[in-house]
Amino acid sequence: MNESAQHSLRGTALLNDPAFNRGTAFTREERRAYGLEGLLPPQIETLDRQAERALRHLDAKPTDLERYIYLSALVDRNETLFYKVLMSDPARFVPIVYAPTLGEACKAFSHIYRRPRGMYLSLEMKGRIAEVLRNWPVADVRFICVTTGGRILGLGDIGANGMGIPIGKLQLYTACAAVPPQTTLPIQLDIGTTNAALRADPLYLGLRREPPPQAELDAFVAEFVAAVQEVFPACCIHFEDWKGTDAIRYLEQYRERVLCYNDDIQGTASVTLAGLITALRIKDEKLSDQTFLFLGAGSSALGTSDLLVKAMQAEGLSQAEARARITMMDVHGLVEPSRADLSDEQRRYAHTAEPTRDLPATIRRVRPSVLIGVSTAGGAFTREIVSLMAEINVRPVIFPLSIPHSECTAEQAYAWSDGRALYAAGVQFPQVTRGEAVFRPGQANNFYIFPGLGLATYATRPRLITDALIIEAAHALADQVDVTAQARGMLYPPQSQILEVQITSACRLAEYIFESGMAQVDRPADIRSWIEGMTYSPAYDLAD
């Protein structure tokens, strides 16, 4: 047991500390030494036996939301057991602690709240953010996942209810890449919410006010970023689920100044690029020969497009040539120059064309080889649209990435394309059988990217996270889909192997960071053994 815990925690205080509590696994000697005698049942159990009981409890729960609530309670009382359960079957539990169940949990967050995790920094703390951050009990925080709750999983602005997102994201750093959990800190920046229904909810836990004007918000975020540099100087800031315009603005403002990234923009872009790399290997085609159509023109579409442009430039296209291969539509129609509502970032992809809201007509005109949905509009890819893509392309690439509701299901995509679609969604669909053919749809989910990127960052402490590193993360992932898997139409590695996949990606990213001169630590002789030596394993420390 940690030495400081031995001297400072005893009795019920020890049982109530999830980082050090091991419940029925405390030995007789430990029970006597730490004042636990009489506070626990007499049976002494192994971690495996405790996990067996937890899994039985989970099996008995009627819904995934109930399983989420159970797991939230478990991590609050025994962190080691929680990660033992999660890491025993990531394919089963990632969709519970993350999307899609996490979206349902966030909607109900204030109603299912049990006890605090992470930190809540509100506008009322302006001028004192560094002081408040010092209330966190861990000094060496390496990752902060921070949200305002302004745009959560297609749910819109849910304010402080968005805290479930940074909690869940950081749990995946550990569950999927074995980043030590004590180095992570979820933070909710509570700036109020535009959601009047939440403000009127008597159980809502956040500030009951509208968000501030942009200038005030910018000053608050600037204070937060500066405070992190002061209190946790080795920390990487992971921006998550901010309102689209804020997400783009703050990434551009801070990406060259501090160690940070935006997962909605860069993580989505990287995992999408990885799936495209694999799909194009199956088709034996180059990225720079593709034509892309996005349904959705927000921060995810723009970040993905910008990364695709850089990847196509690496294949020899000019920036203008690469941008010309990308067309966008959103709720207001085609992104084209006559629109007065476009941001500067959107105007980069505003190509001369007649205004239209007609997606099928745009497909006929543009003739895309790749159709990507980031619209949050479930069911937007209809039979007509998928059939058009299959008419234009022998192997249409269809990526409905919206969470929790995809633009089309895997079964629909395969049925409407006569089984020819190369498909990945933001959520995981079950395998689809058509006649004798079995299709294994991919999940273009960011958990294939950010945990491994996090582990590499934890190990090498780079000065910045660059787009080149994000592109390398995509290649590191795609290179782990072998030809046998490709022959089955798989665009991503199996989720059951996520820990091995992420450690392999982290090793490759670490090598890239060292070769690029970005690391702030010395390069080891054997990168993999060095990184594996830093990883977390859910196990109880041996008693002294």
Side-chain angles (χ1 to χ4, degrees), residues 185-439:
L185 169 57
I187 289 183
Q188 171 76 37
L189 284 191
D190 192 347
I191 62 171
T193 177
T194 58
N195 190 322
L198 278 181
R199 296 198 305 268
D201 183 349
L203 294 182
Y204 178 61
L205 292 167
L207 292 179
R208 300 175 189 274
R209 54 158 289 174
E210 288 271 354
Q214 181 175 313
E216 184 179 351
L217 177 60
D218 287 352
F220 185 55
V221 173
E223 182 188 352
F224 165 73
V225 172
V228 171
Q229 309 312 302
E230 177 184 339
V231 180
F232 307 120
C235 185
C236 174
I237 300 175
H238 169 156
F239 292 103
E240 183 69 33
D241 284 334
W242 292 55
K243 187 175 70 176
T245 53
D246 292 339
I248 294 169
R249 187 170 73 257
Y250 293 132
L251 179 61
E252 290 304 311
Q253 184 171 350
Y254 294 111
R255 64 190 303 172
E256 300 293 336
R257 296 169 50 190
V258 302
L259 184 64
C260 70
Y261 73 104
N262 184 299
D263 186 55
D264 303 299
I265 297 174
Q266 294 166 293
T268 299
S270 185
V271 77
T272 303
L273 176 59
L276 291 173
I277 291 169
T278 309
L280 295 177
R281 286 174 179 166
I282 294 171
K283 296 178 68 173
D284 193 24
E285 295 177 3
K286 294 171 60 178
L287 186 73
S288 53
D289 290 333
Q290 306 308 304
T291 303
F292 303 87
L293 176 58
F294 283 80
L295 184 63
S299 59
S300 293
L302 292 166
T304 301
S305 295
D306 288 347
L307 199 74
L308 289 175
V309 166
K310 290 178 180 175
M312 285 189 280
Q313 286 181 272
E315 291 187 357
L317 295 187
S318 69
Q319 184 181 76
E321 289 170 334
R323 285 179 178 171
R325 292 187 167 276
I326 298 172
T327 300
M328 294 184 182
M329 296 188 74
D330 64 10
V331 67
H332 301 296
L334 183 67
V335 173
E336 43 80 22
S338 72
R339 283 180 51 176
D341 62 335
L342 299 181
S343 67
D344 291 341
E345 293 81 11
Q346 289 170 323
R347 288 197 176 278
R348 295 199 290 260
Y349 300 100
H351 310 308
T352 302
E354 290 296 320
T356 182
R357 295 172 181 258
D358 191 331
L359 180 56
T362 301
I363 291 174
R364 291 187 184 95
R365 180 181 63 82
V366 174
R367 299 183 66 81
S369 56
V370 179
L371 179 63
I372 298 175
V374 282
S375 66
T376 73
F381 292 169
T382 63
R383 177 190 291 269
E384 179 185 13
I385 287 165
V386 174
S387 298
L388 271 173
M389 288 294 296
E391 179 183 319
I392 293 167
N393 304 279
V394 175
R395 301 297 304 272
V397 179
I398 300 175
F399 281 14
L401 302 183
S402 292
I403 299 174
H405 304 298
S406 295
E407 285 80 2
C408 70
T409 68
E411 186 172 9
Q412 290 169 335
Y414 294 129
W416 297 338
S417 67
D418 194 28
R420 291 184 282 118
L422 293 167
Y423 176 95
V427 297
Q428 183 63 60
F429 287 101
Q431 71 178 29
V432 176
T433 301
R434 285 177 52 82
E436 295 183 357
V438 177
F439 300 94

